Amino acid sequence: MKALPLKPLNLGCAYSVRFSPDGTRLAVLGHDLILWDVAARQKLWRGKPIPHCSAMAFSPDGSQLAVKSTTGLMAVVDAASGDVVLNFRNKKDGEGSAPAWSPCGHYIADGGWDGRLQVREAATGEVIFVQEHAGEMLHDVIAIDGGQRLLVLHGVKSVEEGQVQPPDYVTMWDWPLLAGAGRTVLSLADLSSIAASADGQYLAVLHRADGAERLSVFSLTDGWQLASTVVGQGGGTGNTLCWSPDGHTVGRIGKGKLEFYGWPALTLQQELPFTYPCALAFLPGTPLAAIGSWEKGVLLELNLNREPI
């Protein structure tokens, strides 16, 4: 007998959603930080580790969460209890990217809108690495290949009148981070969002070209463009693109809906109407997906078809 689909689970206001590395828990960041037991569909704890929390990331072993506020303040939270392990007390750093862990779980990297890429010891908060990028904003710092590499999205700030606006670009860094070791893997005008496939081979990006918003996929090996398609108006903030774990689909947050594009053709497979969507995460090996919303996020079964709509 075929199992009935699970009833969608209301997650409440959810700016960000993240599954733990083993898939047993779901962290939901909204007005508070909430940890859910995925199988039992129950809250494990709810808390407010730091004011105005805006981003988070699980450590590689899932035992801790790095959280970051809109002021740049960062802290480490115990995933079992919700207690703050360490407050870095760095609220003067200013806004920037979400945090990203090293593969060993001992360090946390993040980028600032002042162009600083920093690495701190998770146990002490001590800054052990800084790379300045004058005149830039670091919008995203993303761990790939189990954290062995980092992708950094550089947004070039406005230039003086009469000067040519340089393109935005993406750099790749290997752990441990070394001064000047980031190498450019993509340079593109009006680049707004990036997402790497689970196998680290492809980079999906949102950018503007020829007056239109486009979704394009590039090879991370040589930067070659493999596919591109025009998309509609975007919506939400933060995690605007997300690959399915099997690499067959790229999910995009549009205005009042989620769009799912098949890979490698980038054909629109499915649209899901949704109120104020802003985040998306897939649970590997299952049809479960967590969708964040400024109003009401959900955990639901998302059965993506392989045929165009």
Side-chain angles (χ1 to χ4, degrees):
M1 183 175 178
K2 187 177 180 179
L4 294 175
L6 291 174
K7 181 181 178 181
L9 177 65
N10 179 11
L11 301 175
C13 176
Y15 312 140
S16 179
V17 287
R18 292 285 187 273
F19 287 104
S20 61
D22 64 4
T24 61
R25 292 157 297 160
L26 172 64
V28 176
L29 179 57
H31 300 306
D32 298 310
L33 179 59
I34 302 173
L35 197 73
W36 290 83
D37 182 306
V38 174
R41 298 163 69 86
Q42 293 180 343
K43 294 177 185 176
L44 297 174
W45 51 260
R46 180 180 193 139
K48 195 183 290 289
I50 55 176
H52 311 297
C53 196
S54 60
M56 61 180 174
F58 273 103
S59 61
D61 64 1
S63 66
Q64 296 181 322
L65 279 158
V67 295
K68 185 175 179 179
S69 79
T70 54
T71 67
L73 176 65
M74 294 177 63
V76 175
V77 177
D78 182 87
S81 65
D83 295 335
V84 175
V85 177
L86 181 68
N87 186 320
F88 291 175
R89 304 190 183 282
N90 63 313
K91 62 183 180 181
K92 293 184 179 180
D93 279 356
E95 204 160 356
S97 76
W101 290 80
S102 65
C104 64
H106 295 159
Y107 307 100
I108 302 171
D110 78 306
W113 287 0
D114 59 359
R116 281 184 297 175
L117 178 62
Q118 299 188 100
V119 177
R120 293 179 174 85
E121 287 189 348
T124 66
E126 180 185 354
V127 177
I128 63 166
F129 173 85
V130 178
Q131 179 78 61
E132 303 279 356
H133 300 87
E136 297 183 3
M137 299 175 70
L138 304 187
H139 294 292
D140 282 320
V141 175
I142 302 171
I144 63 172
D145 294 343
Q148 295 291 338
R149 297 183 292 170
L150 291 180
L151 290 176
V152 179
L153 173 55
H154 301 247
V156 181
K157 294 180 181 179
S158 297
V159 297
E160 295 181 5
E161 186 176 353
Q163 292 184 336
V164 176
Q165 179 76 30
D168 303 319
Y169 66 104
V170 180
T171 55
M172 184 182 294
W173 301 73
D174 298 313
W175 282 100
L177 273 61
L178 300 174
R183 56 194 183 278
T184 299
V185 293
L186 179 65
S187 182
L188 202 61
D190 294 324
L191 182 56
S192 61
S193 185
I194 62 174
S197 59
D199 59 12
Q201 293 188 48
Y202 308 116
L203 184 67
V205 306
L206 286 175
H207 64 108
R208 288 194 64 80
D210 301 322
E213 185 82 3
R214 302 192 70 91
L215 167 63
S216 301
V217 174
F218 294 82
S219 167
L220 270 174
T221 302
D222 54 19
W224 191 258
Q225 181 174 298
L226 303 174
S228 185
T229 189
V230 175
V231 296
Q233 186 176 357
T237 58
N239 187 19
T240 4
L241 288 176
C242 184
W243 284 83
S244 62
D246 60 12
H248 293 159
T249 306
V250 180
R252 173 191 177 247
I253 295 169
K255 186 176 182 180
K257 62 183 177 181
L258 286 91
E259 301 167 348
F260 300 94
Y261 294 84
W263 174 251
L266 285 190
T267 303
L268 183 62
Q269 293 178 318
Q270 201 172 70
E271 291 183 337
L272 178 65
F274 210 85
T275 303
Y276 304 130
C278 59
L280 174 65
F282 295 98
L283 181 58
T286 78
L288 287 176
I291 301 174
S293 164
W294 299 106
E295 185 173 276
K296 186 172 69 174
V298 295
L299 175 67
L300 80 173
E301 291 190 356
L302 189 61
N303 295 300
L304 299 173
N305 59 63
R306 299 298 302 279
E307 299 297 326
I309 60 172

PDB file of all heavy atoms in Angstrom, residues 231-254:
ATOM      1  N   VAL A 231      14.610  34.244 -16.686  1.00  0.00           N
ATOM      2  CA  VAL A 231      13.655  33.981 -15.614  1.00  0.00           C
ATOM      3  C   VAL A 231      12.895  35.272 -15.305  1.00  0.00           C
ATOM      4  O   VAL A 231      13.272  36.355 -15.744  1.00  0.00           O
ATOM      5  CB  VAL A 231      14.361  33.458 -14.344  1.00  0.00           C
ATOM      6  CG1 VAL A 231      15.021  32.124 -14.617  1.00  0.00           C
ATOM      7  CG2 VAL A 231      15.398  34.460 -13.850  1.00  0.00           C
ATOM      8  N   GLY A 232      11.844  35.132 -14.512  1.00  0.00           N
ATOM      9  CA  GLY A 232      11.019  36.277 -14.165  1.00  0.00           C
ATOM     10  C   GLY A 232      11.550  37.034 -12.965  1.00  0.00           C
ATOM     11  O   GLY A 232      12.696  36.864 -12.545  1.00  0.00           O
ATOM     12  N   GLN A 233      10.699  37.865 -12.394  1.00  0.00           N
ATOM     13  CA  GLN A 233      11.080  38.724 -11.275  1.00  0.00           C
ATOM     14  C   GLN A 233      11.419  37.888 -10.049  1.00  0.00           C
ATOM     15  O   GLN A 233      10.729  36.928  -9.724  1.00  0.00           O
ATOM     16  CB  GLN A 233       9.948  39.701 -10.952  1.00  0.00           C
ATOM     17  CG  GLN A 233      10.306  40.721  -9.890  1.00  0.00           C
ATOM     18  CD  GLN A 233       9.188  41.733  -9.678  1.00  0.00           C
ATOM     19  OE1 GLN A 233       8.172  41.702 -10.360  1.00  0.00           O
ATOM     20  NE2 GLN A 233       9.368  42.628  -8.724  1.00  0.00           N
ATOM     21  N   GLY A 234      12.502  38.249  -9.390  1.00  0.00           N
ATOM     22  CA  GLY A 234      12.927  37.535  -8.196  1.00  0.00           C
ATOM     23  C   GLY A 234      12.145  37.963  -6.974  1.00  0.00           C
ATOM     24  O   GLY A 234      11.394  38.936  -6.979  1.00  0.00           O
ATOM     25  N   GLY A 235      12.338  37.209  -5.892  1.00  0.00           N
ATOM     26  CA  GLY A 235      11.667  37.523  -4.637  1.00  0.00           C
ATOM     27  C   GLY A 235      12.491  37.042  -3.476  1.00  0.00           C
ATOM     28  O   GLY A 235      13.376  36.203  -3.613  1.00  0.00           O
ATOM     29  N   GLY A 236      12.213  37.575  -2.280  1.00  0.00           N
ATOM     30  CA  GLY A 236      12.929  37.146  -1.091  1.00  0.00           C
ATOM     31  C   GLY A 236      14.356  37.649  -1.078  1.00  0.00           C
ATOM     32  O   GLY A 236      14.789  38.450  -1.901  1.00  0.00           O
ATOM     33  N   THR A 237      15.111  37.168  -0.117  1.00  0.00           N
ATOM     34  CA  THR A 237      16.527  37.520   0.002  1.00  0.00           C
ATOM     35  C   THR A 237      17.290  36.288   0.435  1.00  0.00           C
ATOM     36  O   THR A 237      16.704  35.253   0.756  1.00  0.00           O
ATOM     37  CB  THR A 237      16.733  38.626   1.054  1.00  0.00           C
ATOM     38  OG1 THR A 237      16.217  38.149   2.309  1.00  0.00           O
ATOM     39  CG2 THR A 237      16.016  39.898   0.675  1.00  0.00           C
ATOM     40  N   GLY A 238      18.608  36.406   0.476  1.00  0.00           N
ATOM     41  CA  GLY A 238      19.426  35.322   1.010  1.00  0.00           C
ATOM     42  C   GLY A 238      19.541  34.162   0.034  1.00  0.00           C
ATOM     43  O   GLY A 238      20.055  34.307  -1.066  1.00  0.00           O
ATOM     44  N   ASN A 239      19.070  32.996   0.446  1.00  0.00           N
ATOM     45  CA  ASN A 239      19.261  31.784  -0.337  1.00  0.00           C
ATOM     46  C   ASN A 239      18.312  31.753  -1.524  1.00  0.00           C
ATOM     47  O   ASN A 239      17.306  31.067  -1.538  1.00  0.00           O
ATOM     48  CB  ASN A 239      19.040  30.563   0.561  1.00  0.00           C
ATOM     49  CG  ASN A 239      19.382  29.275  -0.139  1.00  0.00           C
ATOM     50  OD1 ASN A 239      20.086  29.279  -1.137  1.00  0.00           O
ATOM     51  ND2 ASN A 239      18.891  28.185   0.389  1.00  0.00           N
ATOM     52  N   THR A 240      18.616  32.506  -2.599  1.00  0.00           N
ATOM     53  CA  THR A 240      17.713  32.605  -3.736  1.00  0.00           C
ATOM     54  C   THR A 240      17.836  31.435  -4.686  1.00  0.00           C
ATOM     55  O   THR A 240      16.947  31.201  -5.485  1.00  0.00           O
ATOM     56  CB  THR A 240      17.989  33.897  -4.528  1.00  0.00           C
ATOM     57  OG1 THR A 240      19.092  34.578  -3.973  1.00  0.00           O
ATOM     58  CG2 THR A 240      16.824  34.801  -4.496  1.00  0.00           C
ATOM     59  N   LEU A 241      18.920  30.690  -4.643  1.00  0.00           N
ATOM     60  CA  LEU A 241      19.128  29.521  -5.480  1.00  0.00           C
ATOM     61  C   LEU A 241      19.509  28.331  -4.612  1.00  0.00           C
ATOM     62  O   LEU A 241      20.198  28.489  -3.599  1.00  0.00           O
ATOM     63  CB  LEU A 241      20.258  29.761  -6.487  1.00  0.00           C
ATOM     64  CG  LEU A 241      20.004  30.710  -7.650  1.00  0.00           C
ATOM     65  CD1 LEU A 241      21.285  30.872  -8.462  1.00  0.00           C
ATOM     66  CD2 LEU A 241      18.877  30.219  -8.534  1.00  0.00           C
ATOM     67  N   CYS A 242      19.077  27.130  -5.031  1.00  0.00           N
ATOM     68  CA  CYS A 242      19.421  25.927  -4.272  1.00  0.00           C
ATOM     69  C   CYS A 242      19.358  24.725  -5.199  1.00  0.00           C
ATOM     70  O   CYS A 242      18.344  24.498  -5.861  1.00  0.00           O
ATOM     71  CB  CYS A 242      18.451  25.749  -3.104  1.00  0.00           C
ATOM     72  SG  CYS A 242      18.831  24.347  -2.025  1.00  0.00           S
ATOM     73  N   TRP A 243      20.435  23.943  -5.265  1.00  0.00           N
ATOM     74  CA  TRP A 243      20.445  22.701  -6.038  1.00  0.00           C
ATOM     75  C   TRP A 243      19.792  21.577  -5.239  1.00  0.00           C
ATOM     76  O   TRP A 243      19.979  21.476  -4.022  1.00  0.00           O
ATOM     77  CB  TRP A 243      21.869  22.279  -6.348  1.00  0.00           C
ATOM     78  CG  TRP A 243      22.565  23.049  -7.425  1.00  0.00           C
ATOM     79  CD1 TRP A 243      23.213  24.248  -7.280  1.00  0.00           C
ATOM     80  CD2 TRP A 243      22.712  22.683  -8.801  1.00  0.00           C
ATOM     81  NE1 TRP A 243      23.753  24.642  -8.478  1.00  0.00           N
ATOM     82  CE2 TRP A 243      23.471  23.703  -9.433  1.00  0.00           C
ATOM     83  CE3 TRP A 243      22.298  21.591  -9.563  1.00  0.00           C
ATOM     84  CZ2 TRP A 243      23.809  23.652 -10.785  1.00  0.00           C
ATOM     85  CZ3 TRP A 243      22.630  21.539 -10.904  1.00  0.00           C
ATOM     86  CH2 TRP A 243      23.369  22.557 -11.500  1.00  0.00           C
ATOM     87  N   SER A 244      19.062  20.709  -5.919  1.00  0.00           N
ATOM     88  CA  SER A 244      18.605  19.490  -5.274  1.00  0.00           C
ATOM     89  C   SER A 244      19.816  18.599  -5.020  1.00  0.00           C
ATOM     90  O   SER A 244      20.807  18.659  -5.765  1.00  0.00           O
ATOM     91  CB  SER A 244      17.580  18.759  -6.145  1.00  0.00           C
ATOM     92  OG  SER A 244      18.161  18.370  -7.386  1.00  0.00           O
ATOM     93  N   PRO A 245      19.788  17.769  -3.977  1.00  0.00           N
ATOM     94  CA  PRO A 245      20.963  16.951  -3.653  1.00  0.00           C
ATOM     95  C   PRO A 245      21.387  16.010  -4.777  1.00  0.00           C
ATOM     96  O   PRO A 245      22.572  15.713  -4.911  1.00  0.00           O
ATOM     97  CB  PRO A 245      20.494  16.151  -2.426  1.00  0.00           C
ATOM     98  CG  PRO A 245      19.446  17.014  -1.800  1.00  0.00           C
ATOM     99  CD  PRO A 245      18.738  17.670  -2.941  1.00  0.00           C
ATOM    100  N   ASP A 246      20.420  15.548  -5.609  1.00  0.00           N
ATOM    101  CA  ASP A 246      20.785  14.649  -6.706  1.00  0.00           C
ATOM    102  C   ASP A 246      21.327  15.389  -7.921  1.00  0.00           C
ATOM    103  O   ASP A 246      21.742  14.773  -8.909  1.00  0.00           O
ATOM    104  CB  ASP A 246      19.592  13.775  -7.120  1.00  0.00           C
ATOM    105  CG  ASP A 246      18.389  14.581  -7.607  1.00  0.00           C
ATOM    106  OD1 ASP A 246      18.528  15.801  -7.853  1.00  0.00           O
ATOM    107  OD2 ASP A 246      17.298  13.993  -7.742  1.00  0.00           O
ATOM    108  N   GLY A 247      21.322  16.725  -7.885  1.00  0.00           N
ATOM    109  CA  GLY A 247      21.872  17.511  -8.970  1.00  0.00           C
ATOM    110  C   GLY A 247      20.988  17.613 -10.193  1.00  0.00           C
ATOM    111  O   GLY A 247      21.419  18.138 -11.224  1.00  0.00           O
ATOM    112  N   HIS A 248      19.736  17.179 -10.097  1.00  0.00           N
ATOM    113  CA  HIS A 248      18.838  17.194 -11.253  1.00  0.00           C
ATOM    114  C   HIS A 248      18.038  18.489 -11.381  1.00  0.00           C
ATOM    115  O   HIS A 248      17.447  18.743 -12.432  1.00  0.00           O
ATOM    116  CB  HIS A 248      17.850  16.020 -11.174  1.00  0.00           C
ATOM    117  CG  HIS A 248      18.488  14.687 -11.326  1.00  0.00           C
ATOM    118  ND1 HIS A 248      17.901  13.515 -10.888  1.00  0.00           N
ATOM    119  CD2 HIS A 248      19.689  14.321 -11.862  1.00  0.00           C
ATOM    120  CE1 HIS A 248      18.699  12.496 -11.148  1.00  0.00           C
ATOM    121  NE2 HIS A 248      19.786  12.964 -11.735  1.00  0.00           N
ATOM    122  N   THR A 249      18.007  19.279 -10.313  1.00  0.00           N
ATOM    123  CA  THR A 249      17.121  20.442 -10.289  1.00  0.00           C
ATOM    124  C   THR A 249      17.795  21.619  -9.609  1.00  0.00           C
ATOM    125  O   THR A 249      18.527  21.449  -8.637  1.00  0.00           O
ATOM    126  CB  THR A 249      15.817  20.106  -9.523  1.00  0.00           C
ATOM    127  OG1 THR A 249      15.215  18.943 -10.094  1.00  0.00           O
ATOM    128  CG2 THR A 249      14.834  21.259  -9.566  1.00  0.00           C
ATOM    129  N   VAL A 250      17.519  22.814 -10.138  1.00  0.00           N
ATOM    130  CA  VAL A 250      17.921  24.056  -9.483  1.00  0.00           C
ATOM    131  C   VAL A 250      16.640  24.770  -9.044  1.00  0.00           C
ATOM    132  O   VAL A 250      15.784  25.089  -9.871  1.00  0.00           O
ATOM    133  CB  VAL A 250      18.725  24.971 -10.418  1.00  0.00           C
ATOM    134  CG1 VAL A 250      19.123  26.255  -9.685  1.00  0.00           C
ATOM    135  CG2 VAL A 250      19.967  24.262 -10.935  1.00  0.00           C
ATOM    136  N   GLY A 251      16.503  24.996  -7.738  1.00  0.00           N
ATOM    137  CA  GLY A 251      15.347  25.722  -7.216  1.00  0.00           C
ATOM    138  C   GLY A 251      15.662  27.204  -7.115  1.00  0.00           C
ATOM    139  O   GLY A 251      16.771  27.590  -6.725  1.00  0.00           O
ATOM    140  N   ARG A 252      14.686  28.020  -7.479  1.00  0.00           N
ATOM    141  CA  ARG A 252      14.860  29.471  -7.436  1.00  0.00           C
ATOM    142  C   ARG A 252      13.660  30.103  -6.754  1.00  0.00           C
ATOM    143  O   ARG A 252      12.520  29.693  -6.962  1.00  0.00           O
ATOM    144  CB  ARG A 252      14.993  30.045  -8.848  1.00  0.00           C
ATOM    145  CG  ARG A 252      15.008  31.576  -8.866  1.00  0.00           C
ATOM    146  CD  ARG A 252      14.867  32.130 -10.258  1.00  0.00           C
ATOM    147  NE  ARG A 252      14.819  33.591 -10.236  1.00  0.00           N
ATOM    148  CZ  ARG A 252      13.759  34.305 -10.568  1.00  0.00           C
ATOM    149  NH1 ARG A 252      12.623  33.720 -10.929  1.00  0.00           N
ATOM    150  NH2 ARG A 252      13.795  35.622 -10.533  1.00  0.00           N
ATOM    151  N   ILE A 253      13.918  31.118  -5.942  1.00  0.00           N
ATOM    152  CA  ILE A 253      12.850  31.854  -5.282  1.00  0.00           C
ATOM    153  C   ILE A 253      12.434  33.014  -6.169  1.00  0.00           C
ATOM    154  O   ILE A 253      13.218  33.923  -6.436  1.00  0.00           O
ATOM    155  CB  ILE A 253      13.295  32.357  -3.900  1.00  0.00           C
ATOM    156  CG1 ILE A 253      13.556  31.158  -2.987  1.00  0.00           C
ATOM    157  CG2 ILE A 253      12.249  33.276  -3.294  1.00  0.00           C
ATOM    158  CD1 ILE A 253      14.229  31.508  -1.705  1.00  0.00           C
ATOM    159  N   GLY A 254      11.209  32.961  -6.659  1.00  0.00           N
ATOM    160  CA  GLY A 254      10.660  34.034  -7.463  1.00  0.00           C
ATOM    161  C   GLY A 254       9.687  34.863  -6.648  1.00  0.00           C
ATOM    162  O   GLY A 254       9.525  34.661  -5.442  1.00  0.00           O
TER     163      GLY A 254
END
